[in-house]
Amino acid sequence: MRDAELTRVAVLAGVLLAATVVGLWHRRRSGRIRSVSPTPGPSAALAGLGVTAGAPTLVQFSSAVCAPCRATRRVLERVRATVDGVRLVEVDAEQHLDAARELGVWRTPTVLLVDGDGRVARRASGVPDAGQLTEAVRELCAGVTR
């Protein structure tokens, strides 16, 4: 009986450790703004969503039942008010599944930072940090790429 109890405790400890590691990984990754490989030209999917070249654009993919999407919208509106010339486009991912798939959007909220040429330059899944997003948008406005 003692061996069975030790086995159960070991299995429980292993499951808790694995869940903790996955949770920490997810928390660290969520909201992080990351660069993406540049595309050769503007995306047809973005054009279909109303994103045009000319000025940097923040594209938020959200859904009706997504609580973090509301927080993300507030962050994006704050950034748009802070940085001149930035556009904001909100997309209902459920209504535009083909575009979401083409652009690699697998969860909501996802924010795409589109440069002035209409190409996705950076992206974030989850609620982005307002300061980091503001800095990334300012770099896009200045024409800086990473």
Side-chain angles (χ1 to χ4, degrees):
M1 244 352 168
R2 184 84 172 131
D3 289 338
E5 290 174 11
L6 286 176
T7 301
R8 282 191 282 258
V9 169
V11 168
L12 179 60
V15 168
L16 289 174
L17 178 64
T20 300
V21 168
V22 168
L24 291 172
W25 171 80
H26 183 269
R27 184 177 185 190
R28 181 164 190 231
R29 187 165 185 217
S30 185
R32 187 181 65 169
I33 300 167
R34 55 192 168 90
S35 297
V36 296
S37 299
T39 56
S43 164
L46 286 173
L49 298 172
V51 177
T52 58
T57 306
L58 297 169
V59 181
Q60 177 186 349
F61 281 85
S62 58
S63 60
V65 297
C66 170
C69 293
R70 291 185 286 277
T72 299
R73 184 180 309 114
R74 288 190 296 271
V75 169
L76 297 182
E77 288 172 351
R78 193 174 326 136
V79 170
R80 181 176 61 175
T82 304
V83 182
D84 290 333
V86 175
R87 297 182 205 155
L88 177 57
V89 174
E90 188 166 349
V91 178
D92 184 340
E94 296 172 34
Q95 298 296 318
H96 300 280
L97 287 175
D98 290 338
R101 286 185 187 120
E102 184 178 327
L103 295 167
V105 175
W106 298 107
R107 66 179 269 211
T108 58
T110 293
V111 177
L112 304 178
L113 285 77
V114 181
D115 65 16
D117 295 327
R119 297 176 299 191
V120 177
R122 299 189 186 146
R123 67 185 304 133
S125 295
V127 181
D129 176 79
Q132 292 175 354
L133 185 60
T134 300
E135 180 182 332
V137 170
R138 284 190 174 137
E139 289 175 359
L140 280 182
C141 288
V144 175
T145 58
R146 286 186 180 181

